[in-house]
């Protein structure tokens, strides 16, 4: 009986291995799509994905978005990380870049730093991808 069960198990294993080597036909059209300046083939049923983060970043163009940037982004500007950056984030959203100067409790030094950097800022509508769950402040830097 043991021999019979072993033989049967071996037979199933061999047949299963042959099934893996079988030829499978897949009906899909191959389409070339221009993406990021490169032509790449995709399936006709696959729609190009839209990424809200990439779309938003394309509109900002090397400026710090006061309504959507997180605390780490303020490191690139001297005197803004972490305290002044935290104040800016906590008082968002802003309608214009100049609104950042209206934050209550700013010291003269902080106002001066902000004034020097106004050209580096931009304001776009808040996007949930960037501001959900207070992740703008909690990026591993604590003050």
């Amino acid at each position: 009986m043991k021999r019979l069960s072993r033989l049967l198990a071996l037979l199933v294993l061999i047949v299963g291995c042959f099934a893996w080597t079988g030829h499978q036909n897949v009906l899909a059209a191959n389409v070339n799509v221009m993406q990021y300046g490169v032509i790449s083939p995709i399936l006709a049923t696959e729609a190009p994905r839209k990424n809200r983060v990439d779309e938003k970043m394309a509109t900002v163009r090397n400026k710090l978005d006061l309504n959507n940037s997180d605390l780490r982004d303020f490191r690139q500007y001297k005197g803004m990380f972490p305290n002044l950056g935290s104040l800016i984030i906590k008082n968002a959203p802003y309608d214009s870049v100049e609104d950042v100067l209206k934050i209550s409790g700013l010291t003269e030094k902080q106002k001066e730093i902000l004034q020097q950097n106004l050209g580096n800022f931009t304001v776009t509508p808040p996007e949930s991808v960037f501001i959900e769950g207070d992740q703008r402040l909690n990026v591993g830097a604590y003050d």
Side-chain angles (χ1 to χ4, degrees):
M1 191 64 168
K2 282 186 177 183
R3 283 187 180 179
L4 181 62
S5 62
R6 286 182 187 160
L7 182 63
L8 186 60
L10 184 61
L11 184 62
V12 168
L13 183 65
I14 292 171
V15 170
C17 288
F18 283 123
W20 280 63
T21 61
H23 187 5
Q24 298 177 1
N25 291 329
V26 176
L27 298 175
N30 212 5
V31 178
N32 289 327
V33 173
M34 178 70 84
Q35 186 175 23
Y36 304 113
V38 178
I39 295 177
S40 63
I42 63 168
L43 295 176
T45 58
E46 183 180 317
R49 294 182 182 161
K50 290 187 177 183
N51 185 334
R52 293 187 325 202
V53 173
D54 289 341
E55 289 173 4
K56 176 68 86 171
M57 297 309 290
T59 63
V60 174
R61 300 200 197 282
N62 298 328
K63 291 195 175 195
L64 188 106
D65 185 354
L66 297 177
N67 288 335
N68 294 297
S69 296
D70 66 37
L71 185 58
R72 280 189 212 158
D73 296 334
F74 288 92
R75 289 185 296 185
Q76 61 187 316
Y77 302 108
K78 186 175 178 161
M80 297 193 73
F81 181 80
N83 296 332
L84 189 53
S86 296
L87 277 175
I88 293 170
I89 289 171
K90 288 176 185 174
N91 288 284
Y94 303 99
D95 295 323
S96 70
V97 173
E98 289 77 21
D99 287 349
V100 77
L101 296 171
K102 299 175 186 172
I103 297 174
S104 63
L106 288 177
T107 65
E108 288 303 315
K109 180 70 174 168
Q110 289 173 327
K111 287 181 183 177
E112 183 181 318
I113 292 170
L114 288 173
Q115 192 71 39
Q116 292 170 355
N117 289 294
L118 284 181
N120 298 321
F121 301 148
T122 189
V123 172
T124 62
E127 182 68 47
S128 64
V129 171
F130 293 106
I131 63 174
E132 282 180 342
D134 276 341
Q135 292 302 312
R136 293 180 66 199
L137 283 173
N138 189 11
V139 292
Y142 305 98
D143 53 7

